[in-house]
């Protein structure tokens, strides 16, 4: 195996994450790292953090948006494990319900439910559903594996298994006992395609822009010749089930003269309505209060073609004007027609007045025979017929088409229809205050999703949770055919004991098998049949805190510590988890203490990802081609978790790559040098360096910065500001460590003198401490790179370390190492260094060309910081001497004239731009040395390796003369025994490399 602690093959010159990650995956698998981590934390921990998996629905392939959430879960798990907590990070799969059924219907080419039942049959359909979830399960597992998600799948729950269903029934049992579960006639949202009702939560998931008729029509007042109510609707078919008109009791209504008719409209809607209808010639004759209109009867226009309506019309409450405060007088005409069979508010209004329910529809939302001439028509297809009938009767005022936002089925995208049906409900409205109270105690991290969630909960509508489908948890209620009494069964065992006849052959808690079980009525001895419903699939996942655990585990892990799911789960899983838990426990308690809702992943242009747009990014495809670490880093770093994220795969290889590559090369730099000097982390410890007074301000500065970074990263991970945590890490690696610290110590590491060896070892001790800390801080984010570095660098040097970086402890800041004064001093010092660079740039002088002098100008305390680190300043600024001044005015005009001055606020630097021949020669030497260094690297020489010789050829006369006095220094700089300057390229088997020196060609050979 490649991945051996003492093998360095993997530490290639370039950062090649794909290969590295494959090695790490193999390593984790082979050494069973995930299992060991779980066992270790189970045995010894400083606390238990409950977790229950938000189960992905196995009806499709995972896309990048899904992985975004899974990476956040994994981050939290790895991080908390490092902090010493045990968490049952166990998988779970949502297997039943409409989403899966529709996917299978699509695969089988099923047109509608009738086709399904007749052509396919329930038994085969269930078998196909199981096959489908298995197929998608494989894809999800693969994506987890590729992304490095450590979730334990051997402990996964599957919502379709009997054991899970039995425990899910426990919630129903509790609801039944509390009188919160029952049957009712109610207006529900219904999808004509899926042929099932939808919950309120589901309705909110799919609004789309659709076209509908915009219809103005008149209802004539009874006993009046020319007086009409003017009404507007976008659903003409609901005129078939019209039973009342509603006005607002406190609003003013106008009687408007239009030609020889009188129209009644809300006063404030007269002008806009007339304008909409293009009528200029009208006049308000009188105004009345809405309340005064109450009780007026109007002529229902279709009495002749809908016999049932004629029958209903005999009742005094039918076809009258009622007052309702929900009537909106700021829209349309302020007069609303009520069809209790087709509208929720209409239905409630009719219940208050004992108006009968009239809902003449079959399961496909076709009008039934009770709808007279409309019988057999699909509801929405009746729109046109209704308009025609109104026209014939002279009641049509205007009709056109409008497009507007309208709820559609979140799965099949068909327009929903509301109609009254017999359904089963969880009457969660009765315990709404308890539910809201429970929800208010949860931590949500960000305000907008919290407000959205609480507002939704406060609506407090009952949960219509019966579904007229096949593949779902069966509603365990049996009803007597004779006396209609009902019984709820709460376990498989109880069911089999009560069954009139035991099942033959295969039996599971699903349709069709469960429907074959009949019970005997205890009241009358009649036969009881199961109510034919299955449950809303959201009930399945909402039951997971109890259903996925044993009783003992439930006690230990619930309420769980932290959940993270996409923002749409405010109406989905977060909602049902909460409702069901309050039912189960009868307490105002949420099953989760904290819930992070994250934004959706959009495509690079900010469009929603969908199969139809073709911009759906399959997770396995991306993770097959891209580095998992880069992917993880990118999605956490790019924006706040709450924001929608425009995912652009091209961005992975930009900044995220630079950051991780910088970290990777810091490791290479460290190990190559440390090994050369015989660094032993057991011996050359940080304490050893401290005791021997080997640490310098540079080291202390870096270590102080490191402590501050630990603190900030820990805090921002805790507050779920992942992007902020990653920016801190980015700043530390790229700026503090790579751009500032390493250049400050590089020169010290360069020497191989015996007497400075201890100083070098103390730099390695500092780097060791820093890199090992970074390895743990990065581990929850980029676990592959961190494991590789842990194995190949840290464990290679220290055999006493643990088997995996995942077993390491999360660092806490060492207060003793925090030194804010030192950090401030360095800020000033580094500012001066950077000003010298600007001054050089202005004068077009390369940084590696040594200069004679720099003058540091500014307040005394600022000067002090440079004095304190003067040696370092000379080196970084690359000047021979430094002088100091309080203000630019102090500088003599002679000196100033030869210098380049750069300022920032009250800090200034002047560099002497004049170079004598010696400085020029050193500059040429440095230029050439740099090219030799690059070549060394390119040809794969270790930085520590001493070369036999370096040859230079075709350098011009002037540069040769300048260079000659500096050849010895150059040999030291590039680590070679000798440097030769030749006039021309000799043949003797040397390989010459062409380089440019101030746009002239020079040739180099090294060996
Ligand atoms: Zn549908
Ligand atoms: Zn009975």
């Amino acid at each position: 195996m490649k991945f051996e602690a003492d093998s360095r093959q993997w530490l290639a010159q370039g950062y090649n994450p794909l290969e590295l990650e494959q090695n790490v995956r193999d390593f984790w698998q082979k050494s069973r790292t995930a299992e060991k981590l779980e066992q270790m934390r189970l045995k010894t921990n400083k606390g238990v953090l409950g977790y229950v998996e938000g189960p992905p629905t196995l009806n499709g392939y995972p896309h990048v948006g899904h992985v975004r959430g899974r990476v956040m879960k994994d981050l939290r798990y790895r991080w908390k494990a490092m902090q010493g907590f045990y968490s049952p990070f166990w998988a779970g799969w949502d297997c039943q319900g409409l989403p899966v059924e529709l996917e299978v219907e699509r695969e089988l080419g099923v047109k509608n439910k009738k086709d399904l039942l007749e052509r396919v049959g329930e038994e085969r359909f269930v078998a196909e559903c199981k096959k489908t979830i298995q197929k998608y399960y494989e894809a999800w597992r693969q994506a987890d594996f590729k992304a490095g998600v450590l979730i334990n799948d051997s402990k996964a729950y599957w919502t379709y298994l009997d054991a899970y269903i039995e425990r899910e029934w426990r919630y129903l049992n509790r609801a039944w006992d509390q009188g919160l579960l029952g049957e009712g006639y109610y207006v529900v949202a219904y999808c004509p395609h899926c042929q099932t009702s939808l919950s309120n939560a589901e309705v909110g998931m799919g609004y789309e822009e659709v076209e509908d008729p915009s219809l103005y029509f008149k209802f004539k007042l009874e006993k009046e010749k020319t007086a009409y109510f003017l009404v507007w609707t976008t659903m003409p078919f609901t005129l078939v089930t019209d039973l009342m008109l509603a006005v607002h009791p406190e609003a003013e209504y106008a009687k408007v003269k239009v030609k020889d008719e009188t129209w009644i409209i809300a006063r404030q809607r007269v002008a806009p309505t007339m304008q909409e209808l293009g009528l200029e010639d009208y006049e308000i004759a009188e105004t009345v209060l809405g309340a005064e209109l109450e009780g007026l009867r109007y002529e229902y226009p279709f009495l002749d073609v809908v016999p049932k309506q004629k029958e209903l019309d005999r009742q005094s409450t039918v076809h009258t004007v009622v007052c309702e405060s929900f009537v909106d007088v700021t829209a349309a005409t302020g007069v609303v027609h009520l069809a209790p069979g087709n509208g929720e508010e209409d239905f409630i209004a009719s219940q208050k007045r004992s108006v009968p329910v009239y809902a003449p529809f079959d399961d496909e939302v076709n009008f039934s025979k009770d709808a007279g001439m409309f019988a057999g028509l699909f509801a929405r297809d009746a729109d046109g017929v209704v308009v025609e009938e109104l026209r014939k009767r002279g009641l049509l005022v205007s009709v056109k088409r409008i497009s507007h936002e309208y709820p559609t089925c979140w799965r099949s995208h068909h327009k929903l229809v509301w109609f009254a049906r017999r359904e089963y409900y969880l009457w969660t409205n009765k315990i709404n205050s308890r539910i809201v109270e429970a929800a208010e105690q949860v931590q949500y991290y960000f305000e907008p999703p919290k407000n959205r969630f609480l507002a939704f909960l406060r609506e407090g509508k009952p949960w219509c949770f019966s579904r007229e489908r096949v593949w779902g948890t069966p509603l365990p209620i049996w009803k007597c055919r004779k006396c209609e009494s009902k019984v709820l069964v709460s376990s498989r065992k109880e069911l089999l004991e009560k069954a009139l006849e035991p099942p033959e052959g295969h039996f599971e808690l699903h349709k069709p098998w469960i429907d074959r079980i009949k019970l005997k009525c205890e009241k009358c001895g009649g036969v009881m049949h199961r109510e034919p419903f299955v449950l809303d699939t959201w009930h399945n996942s909402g039951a997971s805190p109890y259903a996925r655990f044993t009783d003992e585990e439930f006690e230990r892990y619930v309420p769980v510590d932290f959940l993270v799911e996409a923002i749409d789960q405010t109406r989905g899983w977060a909602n049902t988890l909460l409702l069901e838990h309050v039912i189960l426990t009868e307490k105002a308690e949420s099953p989760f203490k904290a819930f992070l809702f994250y934004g959706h992943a959009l495509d690079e242009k900010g469009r929603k990802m969908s199969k139809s747009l073709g911009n759906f990014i399959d997770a396995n495809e991306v993770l097959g081609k891209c580095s998992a670490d880069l992917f993880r880093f990118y999605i956490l770093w790019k924006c706040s978790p709450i924001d929608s994220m425009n995912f652009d795969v091209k961005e992975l290889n930009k900044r995220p790559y630079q950051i991780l590559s910088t970290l990777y090369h810091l490791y290479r730099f460290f190990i190559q040098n440390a090994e050369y000097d015989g660094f032993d982390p057991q011996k050359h410890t940080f304490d050893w360096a401290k005791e021997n007074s080997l640490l310098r301000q540079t080291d202390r500065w870096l270590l102080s910065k490191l402590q501050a970074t630990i603190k900030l990263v820990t805090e921002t991970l805790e507050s779920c500001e992942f992007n902020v945590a990653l920016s801190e890490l980015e700043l530390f690696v790229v700026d503090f460590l790579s751009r500032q610290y390493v250049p400050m110590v590089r020169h010290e590491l360069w020497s191989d003198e015996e007497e400075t060896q201890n100083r070098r070892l103390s730099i390695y001790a500092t780097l060791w401490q820093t890199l090992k800390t970074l390895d743990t801080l990065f581990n929850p984010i980029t676990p592959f790179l961190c494991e590789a570095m842990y194995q190949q660098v840290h464990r290679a040097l220290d055999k006493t370390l643990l088997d995996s970086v995942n077993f390491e402890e999360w660092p806490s800041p060492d207060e003793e190492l925090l030194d804010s004064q030192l950090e401030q001093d360095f800020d000033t010092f580094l500012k001066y260094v950077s000003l010298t660079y600007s001054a050089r740039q202005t004068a077009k002088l390369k940084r590696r060309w040594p200069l004679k002098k720099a003058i540091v100008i500014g307040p005394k305390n600022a000067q002090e910081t440079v004095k304190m680190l003067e040696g370092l300043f000379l080196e970084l600024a690359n000047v021979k001497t430094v002088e100091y001044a309080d203000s630019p005015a102090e500088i003599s005009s002679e000196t100033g004239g030869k210098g380049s001055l750069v300022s920032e606020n009250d800090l200034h630097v002047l560099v002497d731009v004049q170079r004598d021949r010696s400085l020029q020669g050193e500059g040429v030497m440095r230029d050439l040395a740099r090219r030799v260094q690059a070549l060394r690297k390119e040809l794969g020489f270790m930085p520590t390796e001493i070369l036999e010789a370096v040859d230079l050829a075709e350098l011009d006369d002037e540069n040769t003369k300048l260079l000659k006095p500096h050849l010895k220094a150059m040999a030291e700089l590039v680590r070679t025994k000798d440097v030769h300057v030749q006039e021309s390229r000799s043949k003797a088997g040397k390989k010459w490399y062409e380089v440019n020196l101030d746009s002239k060609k020079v040739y180099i050979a090294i060996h």
Side-chain angles (χ1 to χ4, degrees), residues 102 191 193-194 409 411-414:
L102 288 182
C191 172
H193 175 85
C194 305
C409 174
R411 299 305 323 179
S412 70
H413 302 283
H414 288 75

Side-chain angles (χ1 to χ4, degrees), residues 98 102 190-196 198 408-416 469:
L98 205 49
L102 288 182
Y190 190 88
C191 172
H193 175 85
C194 305
Q195 287 181 31
T196 187
L198 277 78
T408 54
C409 174
W410 65 288
R411 299 305 323 179
S412 70
H413 302 283
H414 288 75
K415 280 191 214 170
L416 299 181
R469 298 293 311 189

Side-chain angles (χ1 to χ4, degrees), residues 537-579:
T537 177
W538 292 103
H539 191 277
N540 305 163
S541 51
S544 57
Y546 182 77
R548 76 99 58 241
F549 290 126
T550 62
D551 285 351
E552 192 192 321
E553 287 166 343
F554 177 76
E555 284 305 315
R556 200 183 316 148
Y557 301 138
V558 182
V560 302
D561 176 62
F562 173 83
L563 297 177
V564 46
E565 296 296 333
I567 181 74
D568 52 0
Q569 299 297 335
T570 45
R571 284 169 173 272
W573 194 49
N575 172 42
T576 60
L577 275 177
L578 191 68
L579 302 184

Side-chain angles (χ1 to χ4, degrees), residues 479-485 521-528:
K479 186 170 169 184
C480 176
R481 286 270 162 100
K482 232 163 105 190
C483 75
E484 299 212 325
S485 69
C521 177
E522 285 181 7
K523 290 213 177 107
C524 75
V527 178
M528 304 183 98

